[in-house]
Amino acid sequence: MKKYMPRLVDTILEKRMNLYGAICIEGCKWCGKSTTAKQHSKSLLELQNPVTFENNMEIAKTRPDLLLQGEKPRLIDEWQDAPMIWDAIRYDVDNTGLKGQYILTGSATPREYKPRHTGTGRIVKLLMRPMSLYESNESVGTVSLKELFENNIDINGVSKLKLEDIAFLCAKGGWPAGIEFKGEDSYTIARDYLESIIKNDIKTVDGVERNETRTRMILRSLARNISTTANLSVIREDTKTNDNDISEKTIADYLKALEKLYIIDDVEAWQPKLRSKTDIRTSKKREFVDPSIAVASLRATDKDLLKDFKTFGLIFESLCIRDLKIYSQNIDGEVFYYRDKNGLECDAIIHLHDGKWGAIEIKLGSNEAIEEAAQNLLKFKDSVDITKMNEPSFLMVLTATEYAYKRNDGVYVVPLGTLRN
């Protein structure tokens, strides 16, 4: 049996189980939800088991409480297939008042069924993503995001990842099932995942029949516009060459379905208090839950990325955003981006729930790019009104380079291959 590789979400799950009667782990397929949930449960109900599926569905319609019988904590895997279980769990948690009784996992938002109660206070949701570089042992983890928020510290560390390795990891993705794969086999998971989305999942998520060619074109357009604020009209222009009849409304429908599958993982705009009145852009920045989906949609490989540094830069930013979201979640924070009408921007803002924040620019490398990014961060810092909100805990240039260090101006230069939560 393959040894379990610990996930950062493990600690969050343990804390939630001490606070709530049930925890619902949500996220895209193949990100490791069931494997992680099994580490924290004592009994298991696999709703998609073909041997018992039909029987389970019949029981769920009439006596869903029977499916809850078993040693606690009890794991209900892919609960959205029998969504009436939600109300049964909520009712049981209400009656017993016990904590940590159930773990639910789901890779899609359930359709049609509306629970009688949201489960607020009884069932809490927990989002899980594919593996970060630190979780898959590709990052040496010498630079802690949490420590940067707590202290003005010196840093050091040497990434073991060369630029070629970064390109490979962008194409390979953070899929647990593919961690041990080498060479071209590493792309198989992402490519198969993409085909599953196109040919099956996007049609079954809400029962709407969707065109495979359109799905493929929209995913490819999203990949071409990854890490940008491309709106529906941009995506339509990008796809109408092959499908002139496609409308923005249709595109929006496809995007909503991809969100229900947790494939799209966009970044919201940050709106700080500024020294001057400046219009802040509020469009979401386009991101997939894993950069390998973008690479697969473009039918590219790591070698292709190394030949096209503009595309590589955007895909690398997506890789960084994925890891920053995973690390931030572990320290009670969220990831945003900033852009105003004057062109001042910041690739990522980590905002903790206690009000602390840090600003990050993402660059593949080169001394000139790092210098420009550092100056941009200092300029951005000066634009924020620190009389009305906290000063930034840190300013960081996140790179694909080798060495981690602190510049004389206080800006941190951090290779992604040295970062952790």
Side-chain angles (χ1 to χ4, degrees), residues 227-244:
S227 301
T228 75
T229 55
N231 57 26
L232 293 178
S233 62
V234 170
I235 297 172
R236 182 176 184 272
E237 284 297 315
D238 203 24
T239 58
K240 75 175 187 179
T241 301
N242 298 310
D243 188 357
N244 195 47

Side-chain angles (χ1 to χ4, degrees), residues 192-218:
D192 288 348
Y193 191 87
L194 180 69
E195 291 306 307
S196 176
I197 295 168
I198 293 169
K199 295 180 178 179
N200 301 306
D201 299 344
I202 200 167
K203 300 175 185 178
T204 59
V205 66
D206 54 10
V208 177
E209 183 70 25
R210 293 185 174 87
N211 184 279
E212 290 182 16
T213 302
R214 280 187 170 176
T215 303
R216 197 179 299 278
M217 287 191 305
I218 290 170

